Amino acid sequence: MSKQETIMSMATPQTKATHAARKSGMPYTTLAALGLTALALLLPLVLPWLKTPVIFAACFGIAALGVSILIRAGQVSFGHAMFACAAGYAVAFAAKWWTQLDSVALLFIGTAFATMFGMVIGLFVVRYREIFFGMLNLALSMVLFAVLGKFFHLTGGTDGMRLARSTFFGMTLERDGFETALLLTAVGSAVVIGLLVQRYLNSVAGQALAAIKTNETRLEYVGLSTYRVLLVGYTLSAALCGFSGAMFVVAQGLVTPEMGYWVRSGEFVFIAILGGIAHPVGAFLGATLFEFVKLFAAAYLTGAWQMVLGIVLLAVVFLAPAGISGVILRRQKSKGGKQ
């Protein structure tokens, strides 16, 4: 048995279900992704006020996708919002120091900073597993939150930092045009990132990451370093959260320490569980449901929207433990079995 076949044999049930479902016609996950993309692009044309919620949903989906990469390895981070926050402040400082920077350059700077930050943090954190892994990430995120809040003269404290609307691909746009450009960028980035992450998860490196959850010792015997495999996955997840944070700050025009608070990290985990880790599209389905349930619950049940989200999560945990994407793949698999 080759090394790749050995790693595949240690893959999680969700990973095996993904491969099995792919053999029966066009995958339902592909249809779900196409439908979600079409809705994200067409609905704001009918209801322009939906531009911002769709952008935020794409941002949350990308961040949740980063968290779900680690969940595949059996590790849950309760502090990954620190990378979104770090990217946001990198964007804010870059825009403050170099006022002529384009929005695309700001997105690149924020993502690059979060990636390097994640690599440095990962060198230490990936040595630990399970609750220790989750609590270390939480502790580090709270340290960052406290530092950003205390150094008022540099970071603006709890008031945060504002940044003026910059050019987009060299074009000076009004608010509506700027939001449209961000919407197209966010949706396009979500599609490309989803495809790249799926390719990564299907590769030997991605299968090795999933194998950490099932049999880490056997993976070492195959000749792969679990430390290196998890470090790559951790760095990738930090990069995705960083890009999400950079996009969020450019769209909102404001960054505050609250972006790195544990509640935001909990939202990322919430979305990842809600959408499921069986396929990357799950993160975006979960983010869409999360954002719009929160939006309408806050509008019609002011002060009780957290309760509504909690009920939704409980329903998913009991009725669909594998999340929305898990349900989609199970239906695809059952259809293939009947043919």
Side-chain angles (χ1 to χ4, degrees):
M1 184 180 290
S2 68
K3 180 184 291 188
Q4 184 171 359
E5 291 173 335
T6 303
I7 296 171
M8 279 293 296
S9 69
M10 294 185 284
T12 59
Q14 292 93 338
T15 304
K16 294 176 181 178
T18 303
H19 287 282
R22 194 181 296 121
K23 296 178 180 179
S24 54
M26 177 177 283
Y28 286 179
T29 50
T30 301
L31 295 175
L34 291 173
L36 193 60
T37 302
L39 285 175
L41 293 174
L42 296 177
L43 277 181
L45 293 177
V46 181
L47 302 170
W49 62 271
L50 284 177
K51 287 181 184 178
T52 300
V54 170
I55 293 170
F56 288 169
C59 291
F60 279 120
I62 293 170
L65 185 56
V67 171
S68 69
I69 288 174
L70 295 177
I71 295 178
R72 276 178 169 262
Q75 312 304 318
V76 181
S77 171
F78 297 109
H80 252 51
M82 65 178 161
F83 299 117
C85 185
Y89 274 93
V91 167
F93 278 114
K96 179 181 178 180
W97 293 334
W98 301 290
T99 57
Q100 301 302 316
L101 278 178
D102 191 84
S103 295
V104 177
L106 293 176
L107 292 176
F108 176 80
I109 290 171
T111 305
F113 182 81
T115 302
M116 291 187 291
F117 186 42
M119 186 179 297
V120 173
I121 295 295
L123 290 171
F124 168 71
V125 171
V126 298
R127 297 179 184 275
Y128 299 87
R129 298 290 184 271
E130 298 176 350
I131 190 63
F132 303 104
F133 179 90
M135 289 296 102
L136 273 173
N137 280 286
L138 174 60
L140 290 169
S141 71
M142 294 312 295
V143 169
L144 177 64
F145 172 79
V147 169
L148 292 173
K150 293 296 183 182
F151 288 89
F152 183 86
H153 60 289
L154 290 176
T155 64
T158 55
D159 294 333
M161 298 176 65
R162 292 191 174 275
L163 58 154
R165 189 185 309 123
S166 55
T167 59
F168 207 97
F169 283 111
M171 298 179 292
T172 302
L173 303 171
E174 296 298 325
R175 179 178 177 180
D176 185 63
F178 188 76
E179 289 181 348
T180 300
L182 274 179
L183 173 67
L184 295 173
T185 302
V187 174
S189 298
V191 172
V192 172
I193 288 172
L195 291 172
L196 291 176
V197 168
Q198 180 68 3
R199 187 176 180 86
Y200 163 72
L201 295 175
N202 289 334
S203 68
V204 174
Q207 297 299 326
L209 184 73
I212 290 177
K213 181 178 180 179
T214 55
N215 200 327
E216 186 172 344
T217 303
R218 188 178 174 191
L219 194 63
E220 290 279 0
Y221 280 128
V222 173
L224 292 175
S225 168
T226 54
Y227 173 82
R228 187 176 302 170
V229 169
L230 189 54
L231 178 59
V232 171
Y234 190 91
T235 304
L236 176 59
S237 70
L240 294 180
C241 287
F243 180 78
S244 164
M247 178 73 72
F248 189 90
V249 169
V250 169
Q252 185 173 241
L254 173 70
V255 57
T256 66
E258 295 295 327
M259 280 187 64
Y261 197 49
W262 67 269
V263 174
R264 182 61 60 85
S265 295
E267 289 176 349
F268 293 166
V269 176
F270 180 102
I271 293 169
I273 295 173
L274 189 63
I277 64 170
H279 192 278
V281 74
F284 299 103
L285 291 170
T288 301
L289 182 60
F290 172 84
E291 184 64 27
F292 283 92
V293 166
K294 182 173 72 172
L295 181 67
F296 288 103
Y300 296 105
L301 295 172
T302 306
W305 62 269
Q306 294 97 333
M307 181 183 70
V308 176
L309 285 175
I311 293 173
V312 170
L313 181 60
L314 285 174
V316 170
V317 168
F318 284 109
L319 301 177
I324 300 172
S325 62
V327 172
I328 293 174
L329 282 174
R330 188 166 64 247
R331 288 181 64 86
Q332 176 78 14
K333 186 179 179 182
S334 63
K335 176 192 173 185
K338 293 176 182 178
Q339 293 177 341

